Amino acid sequence: DTEVTQTPKHLVMGMTNKKSLKCEQHMGHRAMYWYKQKAKKPPELMFVYSYEKLSINESVPSRFSPECPNSSLLNLHLHALQPEDSALYLCASSPGLAGRETQYFGPGTRLLVL
Amino acid sequence: SQQGEEDPQALSIQEGENATMNCSYKTSINNLQWYRQNSGRGLVHLILIRSNEREKHSGRLRVTLDTSKKSSSLLITASRAADTASYFCATVPYYGGATNKLIFGTGTLLAVQP
């Protein structure tokens, strides 16, 4: 299985809602990532987990809360988002953090905040 | 911003022609990678070139790297309509430690006309 899956594919939420994005991989990878991509822009790194521990937080606002319950699963909890947070949220995984490893991306969750 | 620049921003060619995209980056790197993204969905890894390599081939893809100029190019030969997508270069900066942080370029939108 060489796939990263993400659910849901689409999400519409109000600014007072709480929702979660889910990412799963069964490739035995020990590093997982969240990226945010605005329309017609490149992806921007948000968080990196290595061996289920948060390794990098790119100064992301606290309304985004990542969680890595186990080595196969990565969640992104969303609370009190703003309309400008509307974007494609991409999850990726790699074998490790050795700096020369391919990242495998999921199809993304397209989020609209009203 | 550490973000790299790509040119052209958009490229339209006929099937069978070659497509060349260029990428410039700002920092010392561990490696440089190229990714393809179809219609704002997940990214697909195409090729990775290490900082001590100058050229790499994979099928119809040829990548060059010039670390003295901090630039790379991606050549797609004999293009097909299915190659229509956005192409991003991404660098893994050299921090002297273990990190797989990807910094994406601005992207080139390639349209291959049948």
Side-chain angles (χ1 to χ4, degrees):
Chain A
D1 187 355
T2 58
E3 195 178 45
V4 175
T5 59
Q6 288 187 245
T7 54
K9 287 192 172 125
H10 300 273
L11 179 62
V12 180
M13 60 186 290
M15 289 190 283
T16 58
N17 291 159
K18 285 185 181 180
K19 296 286 185 183
S20 296
L21 309 185
K22 179 180 169 182
C23 173
E24 203 159 2
Q25 57 87 14
H26 296 287
M27 295 179 276
H29 289 174
R30 304 315 299 263
M32 296 186 77
Y33 312 76
W34 280 115
Y35 290 85
K36 174 182 177 180
Q37 186 178 24
K38 302 282 278 184
K40 299 190 189 301
K41 296 289 187 183
E44 291 183 344
L45 183 67
M46 299 174 72
F47 302 104
V48 180
Y49 272 83
S50 175
Y51 289 84
E52 299 149 52
K53 289 191 171 22
L54 185 64
S55 175
I56 296 176
N57 176 343
E58 291 287 284
S59 303
V60 178
S62 59
R63 58 185 184 268
F64 295 91
S65 176
E67 179 197 20
C68 190
N70 59 58
S71 60
S72 300
L73 190 56
L74 185 66
N75 298 320
L76 186 63
H77 303 297
L78 313 173
H79 173 55
L81 294 194
Q82 304 296 311
E84 59 263 30
D85 296 321
S86 298
L88 180 68
Y89 288 85
L90 294 161
C91 173
S93 70
S94 66
L97 282 183
R100 62 184 77 90
E101 295 169 355
T102 298
Q103 292 186 26
Y104 294 80
F105 282 80
T109 293
R110 194 165 295 281
L111 173 67
L112 177 61
V113 182
L114 300 176
Chain B
S1 168
Q2 292 182 306
Q3 190 177 85
E5 298 285 330
E6 287 183 58
D7 79 273
Q9 287 187 338
L11 179 60
S12 182
I13 59 174
Q14 296 294 122
E15 248 185 342
E17 293 180 339
N18 296 342
T20 299
M21 288 158 258
N22 302 296
C23 167
S24 61
Y25 57 91
K26 298 179 182 178
T27 64
S28 296
I29 62 169
N30 183 310
N31 63 70
L32 185 144
Q33 304 175 35
W34 285 89
Y35 286 81
R36 185 186 75 221
Q37 184 176 38
N38 290 84
S39 302
R41 299 307 288 180
L43 286 89
V44 174
H45 181 263
L46 297 176
I47 197 165
L48 180 153
I49 186 165
R50 300 188 203 292
S51 60
N52 61 353
E53 296 176 310
R54 292 297 166 257
E55 189 171 311
K56 203 158 183 183
H57 297 254
S58 176
R60 293 184 296 114
L61 306 180
R62 172 179 168 253
V63 169
T64 62
L65 179 65
D66 186 336
T67 52
S68 67
K69 294 181 180 176
K70 291 187 167 59
S71 67
S72 174
S73 67
L74 171 68
L75 169 66
I76 303 173
T77 60
S79 63
R80 306 165 182 167
D83 294 329
T84 294
S86 292
Y87 291 81
F88 293 94
C89 67
T91 53
V92 176
Y94 178 74
Y95 292 125
T99 173
N100 208 26
K101 177 176 173 175
L102 280 177
I103 298 175
F104 284 87
T106 49
T108 293
L109 179 58
L110 174 65
V112 182
Q113 311 297 334

